[in-house]
């Protein structure tokens, strides 16, 4: 089907999207065992009889997982019920040693929340605690289909997960991405998940259906499992929309199923028929008592809530930053924290943001380092910004010094003094430089005086070159106009 035809067909159908996001909680040990949750260690070295599901072992709930679940629920505007419980979710998979997963079914830890994106509210049905499964490593030929054998790594088994389930409120791949990005930023700021999609510490399942505009009933949905990047999420949704529209237009029925996204081919592939809740044969976990969450407990956690991304954006806008700049700054948590330190030390908010978003951002990208890995401190950065805003050094000189600070550290004031970089604001000194430039360029002077005004920039450039960028810009413009 041609692109143009599909574009026309898309106008007939409304897309309905809901996301299930699995976020690994940043606890040192697993949800029901004392094994380490550290990422990247040798396979099957972070296991215990509990992780392996040996007969007779009993799970013990990690309290920090509950604390993080409550904190996340509050950050996502959820209600924290007074009681929650754990259930057994029955299904067999090679990397699930017990043959069932301990999860939460009808009484989760968080319910009825929301996230606001671009003026639109996306509902959150629930967030519940559960344990992660292990990981299969497919060996032999490339790709799952061509693999000759698989190995299992159970280091991840039992890692605490918080599954956050949205309402089917999103209507485009752009909205789905924006929701996912805002969710990740929020989880990072409250410190419960590092949000590293590449390492699998945050994974997304997307439920997608289409229906003719005006139809109230939802279409049959397909679920795309374990999408591990924002770009892949958008691409997978876009492909699935077109696939389902093609099926409906052909007079056929969309099958309710679970599909996998193949990023290399840019297509989704059928994995298995989609299970319903009754297929998992949920029943209350007999080895864990229902959990009572007192209001005092919730209030204690609420008192620990750090500033959320939405509030931080509002604060940055109040400093005079544009909503776009505020959003870019907030999305980079390490940069935002560094920025806040500099502001507290007296740095001008707008000037500091300009340096961070341009010269510093370019340096970090080129060197592939974080701001913590450089020699620049918040104290030296604030000192530099004050030198620029006070007129002691020019903006261009400031740009040169900040690179030195990133590489070597030091005091901006010392660098300015040692290298003689302070702004030249002495009229006599600046006049002598201008006279020298005008004497060296008589032809350009004559053309300027005959009406070629654009040459003014040439003269300012020559004076700046002679003064190595130290000329006071306002004074230079004033004297140059007079002398020309």
């Amino acid at each position: 089907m041609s692109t143009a035809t599909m574009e026309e067909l898309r106008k007939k159908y409304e897309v309905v999207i809901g996301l299930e996001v699995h976020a690994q909680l940043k606890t040192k040990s697993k949800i029901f065992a004392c094994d380490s949750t550290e990422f990247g260690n040798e396979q099957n070295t972070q296991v215990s009889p509990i992780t392996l599901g040996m007969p007779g072992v009993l799970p013990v709930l990690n309290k920090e997982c509950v604390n993080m679940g409550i904190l996340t629920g509050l950050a996502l505007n959820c209600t924290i019920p007074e009681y929650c419980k754990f259930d057994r979710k029955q299904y067999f998979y090679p990397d699930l040693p017990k043959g069932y997963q301990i999860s939460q079914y009808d009484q989760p830890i968080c319910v009825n929340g929301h996230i606001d994106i671009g003026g639109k509210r996306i509902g959150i049905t629930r967030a519940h605690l559960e344990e992660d499964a292990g990981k299969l490593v497919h060996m032999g030929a490339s790709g799952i289909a061509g693999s000759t054998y698989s190995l299992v790594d159970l280091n991840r088994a039992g890692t605490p997960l918080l599954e956050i389930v949205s309402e089917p409120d999103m209507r485009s791949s752009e909205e789905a991405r924006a929701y996912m990005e805002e969710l990740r930023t929020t989880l990072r700021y409250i410190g419960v998940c590092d949000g590293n999609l590449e390492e699998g510490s945050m994974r997304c399942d997307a439920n997608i259906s289409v229906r003719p505009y005006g139809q109230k009933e939802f279409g049959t949905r397909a679920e795309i499992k374990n999408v591990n990047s924002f770009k892949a999420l958008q691409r997978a949704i876009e492909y699935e929309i077109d696939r389902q529209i093609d099926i409906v237009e052909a007079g056929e029925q969309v099958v309710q199923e679970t599909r996998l996204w193949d990023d290399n081919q840019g297509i989704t592939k059928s994995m298995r028929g989609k299970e319903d809740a009754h297929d998992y044969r949920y029943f209350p976990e007999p080895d864990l008592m229902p959990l009572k969450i007192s209001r005092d407990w919730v209030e204690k956690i609420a008192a620990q809530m750090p500033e959320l991304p939405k509030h931080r954006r509002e604060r940055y806008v109040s400093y005079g930053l544009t909503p776009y700049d505020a959003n870019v700054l907030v999305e980079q948590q390490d940069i935002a924290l560094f920025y806040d330190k500099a502001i507290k030390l007296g740095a001008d908010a707008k000037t500091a943001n300009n340096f961070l978003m341009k010269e510093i951002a370019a340096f970090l990208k080129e060197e592939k380092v974080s701001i913590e890995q450089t020699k620049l401190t918040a104290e030296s950065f604030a000192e530099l910004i004050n030198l620029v805003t006070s007129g002691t050094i020019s903006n261009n000189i400031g740009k040169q010094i900040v690179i030195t600070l990133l590489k070597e550290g030091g005091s901006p004031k010392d660098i300015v003094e040692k290298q003689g970089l302070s702004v030249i604001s002495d009229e006599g000194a600046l006049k002598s430089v201008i006279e020298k430039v005008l004497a060296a360029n008589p032809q350009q002077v004559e053309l300027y005086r005959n009406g070629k005004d654009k040459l003014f920039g040439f003269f300012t450039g020559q004076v700046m070159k002679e003064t190595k960028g130290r000329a006071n810009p306002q004074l230079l413009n004033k004297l140059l106009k007079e002398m020309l």
Side-chain angles (χ1 to χ4, degrees), residues 241-281:
I241 292 169
D242 291 348
R243 186 188 75 87
Q244 293 189 22
I245 289 175
D246 276 341
I247 291 171
V248 175
E249 284 291 313
E252 300 172 7
Q253 291 288 326
V254 175
V255 177
Q256 182 172 326
E257 61 181 343
T258 299
R259 301 179 68 84
L260 289 174
W261 169 247
D262 188 319
D263 205 47
N264 292 324
Q265 295 186 49
I267 60 173
T268 61
K269 297 177 179 178
S270 182
M271 179 181 175
R272 62 175 182 262
K274 174 61 181 171
E275 299 91 345
D276 288 316
H278 63 265
D279 295 317
Y280 292 120
R281 295 185 293 115

Side-chain angles (χ1 to χ4, degrees), residues 6 9-10 72 88 107 167 171 197 208 225 241 253 265 270 272 289 291 326 355 373 375 441 451:
M6 180 53 72
L9 286 174
R10 278 198 176 207
T72 303
R88 286 192 182 183
Q107 289 184 269
E167 291 286 331
R171 295 294 178 265
L197 278 73
I208 303 153
K225 293 289 286 186
I241 292 169
Q253 291 288 326
Q265 295 186 49
S270 182
R272 62 175 182 262
M289 293 290 289
L291 184 65
F355 272 79
Q373 294 171 312
K375 298 291 180 67
N441 299 279

Side-chain angles (χ1 to χ4, degrees), residues 435-472:
E435 286 171 354
K436 180 181 175 182
V437 168
L438 297 183
N441 299 279
Q443 187 175 353
Q444 283 83 355
V445 171
E446 185 178 348
L447 287 170
Y448 178 84
R449 288 172 175 165
N450 287 329
K452 200 165 183 181
D453 295 343
K454 290 183 180 179
L455 280 169
F456 190 82
F458 165 78
F459 294 118
T460 57
Q462 292 300 305
V463 175
M464 282 296 184
K465 186 177 179 182
E466 286 290 327
T467 61
K468 296 181 179 179
R470 294 170 55 209
N472 182 310

Side-chain angles (χ1 to χ4, degrees), residues 4 6 24 73 115 160 199 205 214 245 263 267 287 304 330 349 455 471:
M6 180 53 72
Q24 282 187 1
I115 284 181
E199 292 180 1
D205 301 340
I245 289 175
D263 205 47
I267 60 173
D287 294 330
Q304 302 169 16
V330 168
L455 280 169

